[in-house]
Amino acid sequence: MVSLVGFRLQPNCAKVDHTTMASSNLFFDDIRNKPEVIDPPQNEDLTDIGESVNDPTQTAIKPNVTVSSSVRELLECPVCLNAMYPPIHQCSNGHTLCSGCKPRVQNRCPTCRHELGNIRCLALEKVAASLELPCKYQSFGCIGIYPYYSKLKHESQCVFRPYNCPYAGSECTVIGDIPYLVAHLKDDHKVDMHNGSTFNHRYVKSNPHEVENATWMLTVFSCFGQYFCLHFEAFQLGMAPVYIAFLRFMGDDNEAKNYSYSLEVGGGGRKMVWQGVPRSIRDSHRKVRDSFDGLIIQRNMALFFSGGDRKELKLRVTGRIWKEQ
């Protein structure tokens, strides 16, 4: 436990010219409004702290691990408001700044407007190295306590981190665990919910030539005690308009690999079949679609399968999900 009573980064801080500060507020407010996610830089001076996301020695509850709000504030960049990682810069008056924001402030301290130079705040870097903090996904069930410089890596891989809403019809920002997202899809997005591992869907569009890069359908299936999302949509593949259907697993990738699925579409005595492994919803809908990991149907073939005058899309997609032994 680190105590910072009476700790100061620079004892001889000059008085701040508040007139100058006021004139610069607009500039730095603009920077704050354009936050940038900065990965912690690698630094040869730091000890490499190895850690595993599921290491029981790391996830054991450690008593009396608390960090005062004043310490957290010291480690907060005044521009982007994110936690600072080495190299942490400071001006001649001791005001600190993260390495990501330093080039964005034109080498001027955001607090006192003095020139920043290349002064490292080694004292604050050492203070950070001695801290241990709980995972930010503690409320989702993670009980781990991690060294300050390992915490960010752990959180990027934490098995308790929430999932993004898998609905692709809008830029939905809702996050949560699987039960919460299932209820959210049903209640807020009005997604069709089905029980069972087989499906038989018909997709109809009166004028398919008007649809480009449009999400048409999301259906959620419940089977084997899990949830799966079936996507069907139109998009451009180069200059060619195509349709794609694929399945995503509502869970992590290591669990998704325990399942397989098949999709089939046809008509006029012909058919196309796809078999694959569902992708985790950790992978975005766009990432799966753009990797062409699903049943892809050229528009001309889709209209052929639809029959009739080829002016109306009437595709029947069947499939099933099974668990690998």
Side-chain angles (χ1 to χ4, degrees), residues 7 9-10 41-47 84-99 102 107 115-126 129 149:
F7 176 79
L9 300 180
Q10 180 75 20
Q42 299 298 319
N43 190 284
E44 296 178 355
D45 296 334
L46 293 177
T47 303
M84 295 187 288
Y85 294 87
I88 299 175
H89 297 278
Q90 71 173 17
C91 72
S92 57
N93 286 330
H95 303 124
T96 55
L97 183 73
C98 78
S99 59
K102 184 173 182 284
N107 204 37
E115 187 175 349
L116 282 172
N118 292 303
I119 307 173
R120 287 272 295 276
C121 187
L122 299 177
L124 189 55
E125 291 178 10
K126 290 180 179 179
Y149 293 136

Side-chain angles (χ1 to χ4, degrees), residues 145-181:
I145 302 295
Y146 298 91
Y148 183 82
Y149 293 136
S150 297
K151 180 173 176 285
L152 202 63
K153 178 184 176 182
H154 161 77
E155 289 171 348
S156 69
Q157 304 169 357
C158 179
V159 296
F160 292 97
R161 69 192 189 278
Y163 297 88
N164 293 318
C165 172
Y167 189 76
S170 63
E171 296 297 326
C172 183
T173 58
V174 170
I175 62 172
D177 58 18
I178 299 303
Y180 178 83
L181 289 182

